[in-house]
Amino acid sequence: MESSMDAARIMEYLKGKSILITGSTGFLGKILVEKILRVQPRVHKMYLLVRAVDAPSAKQRVQQEVIGTELFGLLRDKYCEGFDLFIQDKIVALAGDIADEDLGLDAPTLHGLAKHMDVIVNVAATTNFYERYDVSLDVNVMGVKHLCQFAKRCANLKLLMHVSTAYVSGDSAEVILENPMKPGESLRDGVRLDIDAELRLVSDAKKDLPTTASGDDGNATERKAMKELGLQRARHFGWSNTYVFTKAMGEMVLEQHRGDGDLPAAAVVIVRPSIITSVRADPLPGWMQGTRTIDTLIIGYAKQSISCFLADLRMVMDVIPGDMVVNAMLAAAAAARSEEQPPQAVSIYQVTSSLRNPATYAVLYRAGSRHFDEHPRVRDNGEVIPNTEMRFFPTIPEFRLYMVLTFKLPLEILHLVNMLLCGLFSKLYNDSNRKYNFVMLLVDVYGPFAFFKGCFDDTNVERLRSTMVMKSPEDDMFNFDPKSIDWDDYFYRIHIPGVLKYVCK
Ligand SMILES: NC(=O)c1ccc[n+]([C@@H]2O[C@H](COP(=O)([O-])OP(=O)(O)OC[C@H]3O[C@@H](n4cnc5c(N)ncnc54)[C@H](OP(=O)(O)O)[C@@H]3O)[C@@H](O)[C@H]2O)c1
């Protein structure tokens, strides 16, 4: 029988725990660190593994990029002069890299950590859709392997939590269940996926690169080749981009280690959020970091850099605020009991909204129009910029046709004129052509994502939610129910102002 969950149980779970967190300098990682410190000051310690050359640089990064951000304002106000001491007591910055063997830590440090670590939360990833294949494999796949190897050494480990993405399951137009990624299985029938073979392929491809290019040229050649290889391999196995493909392989690595009985008797949990948006409730509504796919619409409109967008306004974009993702992670952590988890199984939670409370692109667009009507954009000279309707292309072919007619044809004419005038407009032509190709590449990489037709099932999350007892106002602190969100109000009052304030600046 499932026991009930409430704020008190989550806070009790965190009490006295030693927690290793990766990815704390990123968007989601910061929200997680702040929340744990705020709801359970008696957590034993949080070890934040960040990429840095040495311990002082790691400490400095944590200070500047995590603790020093606006997100920690509520905590700073709470502790006043005691804030620094509190942080010193609770946070340990570790200089490391999940892509390296032993997480890039020296043997004594690793040994010391392994002795008393209770919980590992892997938030780190490279989230670039068009990342180099070698880098993506190193971070999103080998990084998970290195964390599993570390977990194996932790005698007292209670939980290994891995943050993945709901999009690992591919571009299916169906209800996507919280099913595990089976090692070796790709999204294409009859095509086996062998991670070791992919690693060898990358290494061979690098060796095969022409040796004529060296220095910056060589780096650029390698970068381009690795990016193209990632996309090509992703598509070969049925995924739409390098990011989701390597995140899927990361889950397979975790499944493999679990299946082989290669992890300690800890619970293993995978959290799969969809598109994470700004903080909805606490500690700072609207706070966010980095530009997500849907936010390019808001930023592009605010900066007047785009007049059209690739989206079908009737389609659902699966979004979920960052604080709700963290609340779900904490509830899932407190609920995870290795003795209750079937042996060698991994619990999967899709922290998403499309099934319970879908939000369409139209809701975001309406909220944006309302925002910019009420807060008009102003030029440097104080002149108000009139709001114009944005043009939406509901299919990729329609957008391609528009691009060809509006930009490619004039470019080709320029190309001809340039030849007739012995290269007088070469620079203009080359620059414009490069920009055109870049936009078309973005369409290729992000397009399938914009027209994602699937709907994420969240039965495990709903089950967890149904055990949440709402007895005290504190219980609302861990709300992760998308049904409680009024999307129109959230986009208009919180998310759009948040993107403009914290991302667009
Ligand atoms: N944001 C979303 O919409 C979304 C949606 C679904 C799932 N997710 C998942 O949620 C997690 C967090 O996403 P996010 O948006 O917070 O990402 P983010 O802002 O890009 O942050 C990524 C974090 O990973 C760290 N990292 C990257 N490579 C590393 C390495 N080799 N060793 C150690 N740390 C490394 C980065 O450190 P540096 O500061 O050194 O670069 C950074 O702290 C990821 O696992 C992502 O796949 C995100």
Side-chain angles (χ1 to χ4, degrees):
M1 205 187 75
E2 290 192 24
S3 47
S4 68
M5 172 68 57
D6 58 11
R9 188 169 150 196
I10 298 174
M11 293 188 278
E12 186 58 31
Y13 175 82
L14 294 169
K15 193 153 96 191
K17 291 275 190 305
S18 292
I19 307 175
L20 174 73
I21 299 178
T22 69
S24 63
T25 52
F27 169 46
L28 187 66
K30 279 191 189 78
I31 305 176
L32 176 68
V33 172
E34 193 277 344
K35 182 92 185 200
I36 296 177
L37 284 176
R38 187 155 44 84
V39 301
Q40 186 43 280
R42 286 157 80 185
V43 61
H44 177 58
K45 287 218 187 295
M46 272 193 276
Y47 297 87
L48 309 185
L49 185 107
V50 297
R51 291 190 283 191
V53 283
D54 54 22
S57 324
K59 197 169 171 187
Q60 194 183 11
R61 278 202 74 189
V62 168
Q63 192 54 45
Q64 282 176 355
E65 297 173 42
V66 185
I67 309 299
T69 58
E70 307 99 322
L71 194 69
F72 284 70
L74 203 63
L75 263 184
R76 210 172 291 115
D77 290 348
K78 181 176 166 196
Y79 285 91
C80 300
E81 297 89 62
F83 179 71
D84 289 341
L85 264 181
F86 172 61
I87 294 295
Q88 249 176 53
D89 183 36
K90 297 296 167 188
I91 300 281
V92 180
L94 297 168
D97 191 323
I98 61 165
D100 293 343
E101 286 283 337
D102 293 340
L103 309 174
L105 300 169
D106 60 43
T109 307
L110 202 71
H111 181 69
L113 290 172
K115 267 202 303 206
H116 64 269
M117 201 56 66
D118 297 299
V119 175
I120 299 172
V121 188
N122 181 34
V123 184
T126 168
T127 52
N128 181 351
F129 285 16
Y130 187 45
E131 179 62 274
R132 294 174 58 130
Y133 195 30
D134 51 349
V135 173
S136 278
L137 281 169
D138 278 351
V139 181
N140 296 350
V141 186
M142 297 310 283
V144 179
K145 180 176 174 184
H146 298 143
L147 278 157
C148 287
Q149 286 168 339
F150 171 66
K152 193 177 173 182
R153 299 171 65 158
C154 299
N156 297 312
L157 195 73
K158 284 136 198 107
L159 171 68
L160 170 58
M161 178 177 278
H162 170 65
V163 180
S164 185
T165 161
Y167 296 92
V168 286
S169 307
D171 301 343
S172 150
E174 297 160 3
V175 173
I176 298 163
L177 302 177
E178 290 161 306
N179 285 340
M181 302 303 305
K182 296 212 180 83
E185 275 188 14
S186 80
L187 297 179
R188 287 183 53 203
D189 285 344
V191 180
R192 293 284 304 161
L193 170 55
D194 178 346
I195 296 177
D196 289 332
E198 291 307 298
L199 291 166
R200 282 195 300 276
L201 180 88
V202 162
S203 150
D204 292 347
K206 278 184 172 172
K207 280 186 216 140
D208 288 347
L209 282 172
T211 47
T212 43
S214 61
D216 281 351
D217 272 351
N219 289 341
T221 310
E222 184 176 285
R223 192 164 55 241
K224 187 163 183 284
M226 283 296 116
K227 285 182 166 198
E228 282 170 2
L229 184 64
L231 211 49
Q232 184 207 321
R233 297 307 286 169
R235 303 255 161 109
H236 172 73
F237 291 106
W239 280 270
S240 62
N241 63 58
T242 314
Y243 166 63
V244 288
F245 173 43
T246 52
K247 288 294 281 188
M249 282 194 269
E251 284 199 20
M252 288 176 197
V253 166
L254 195 59
E255 289 285 343
Q256 184 82 57
H257 278 262
R258 183 64 162 177
D260 292 349
D262 221 9
L263 289 173
V268 180
V269 170
I270 294 176
V271 174
R272 290 180 184 160
S274 50
I275 300 170
I276 309 177
T277 49
S278 63
V279 168
R280 174 175 166 260
D282 61 278
L284 187 56
W287 183 84
M288 76 172 305
Q289 175 184 311
T291 310
R292 310 294 138 194
T293 36
I294 60 158
D295 299 330
T296 46
L297 178 62
I298 303 164
I299 295 169
Y301 192 75
K303 290 191 170 174
Q304 305 173 68
S305 55
I306 53 171
S307 56
C308 60
F309 200 74
L310 197 58
D312 180 341
L313 290 181
R314 293 161 305 178
M315 282 184 73
V316 171
M317 42 175 196
D318 198 310
V319 288
I320 188 87
D323 48 337
M324 282 201 168
V325 176
V326 162
N327 293 347
M329 286 168 72
L330 294 178
R337 294 268 176 279
S338 56
E339 58 280 9
E340 285 170 19
Q341 198 171 40
Q344 303 183 338
V346 171
S347 303
I348 297 175
Y349 294 96
Q350 293 188 160
V351 187
T352 53
S353 62
S354 49
L355 186 68
R356 311 278 162 191
N357 184 12
T360 58
Y361 281 94
V363 178
L364 175 65
Y365 183 59
R366 272 201 314 268
S369 301
R370 199 168 137 210
H371 174 91
F372 287 110
D373 281 345
E374 288 169 18
H375 308 91
R377 298 157 302 162
V378 182
R379 291 203 174 88
D380 289 345
N381 61 7
E383 199 183 315
V384 169
I385 303 168
N387 287 333
T388 47
E389 286 280 306
M390 193 175 264
R391 181 163 180 192
F392 287 91
F393 290 94
T395 65
I396 295 178
E398 274 179 70
F399 183 72
R400 283 188 191 283
L401 183 65
Y402 165 79
M403 288 297 287
V404 168
L405 295 177
T406 320
F407 298 106
K408 191 67 185 168
L409 279 179
L411 255 177
E412 289 312 309
I413 295 170
L414 177 67
H415 189 45
L416 273 176
V417 174
N418 186 42
M419 283 199 303
L420 291 173
L421 296 178
C422 306
L424 188 66
F425 295 119
S426 287
K427 185 168 173 352
L428 176 66
Y429 172 76
N430 289 337
D431 285 353
S432 308
N433 200 37
R434 207 175 37 249
K435 281 183 192 153
Y436 177 85
N437 288 336
F438 182 63
V439 171
M440 297 318 274
L441 175 75
L442 290 182
V443 172
D444 189 33
V445 175
Y446 291 94
F449 203 70
F451 295 106
F452 185 82
K453 291 194 177 66
C455 171
F456 296 110
D457 175 64
D458 67 348
T459 301
N460 292 341
V461 180
E462 186 61 17
R463 195 176 297 131
L464 185 61
R465 237 176 344 241
S466 66
T467 65
M468 289 292 284
V469 182
M470 290 292 175
K471 280 185 304 213
S472 68
E474 275 185 339
D475 293 322
D476 199 42
M477 265 183 354
F478 294 99
N479 176 10
F480 53 96
D481 187 352
K483 294 191 291 302
S484 63
I485 306 175
D486 172 346
W487 287 117
D488 192 41
D489 178 67
Y490 167 73
F491 286 129
Y492 168 71
R493 211 171 42 79
I494 298 172
H495 183 69
I496 294 171
V499 170
L500 297 174
K501 180 168 180 188
Y502 299 107
V503 183
C504 217
K505 299 197 169 155

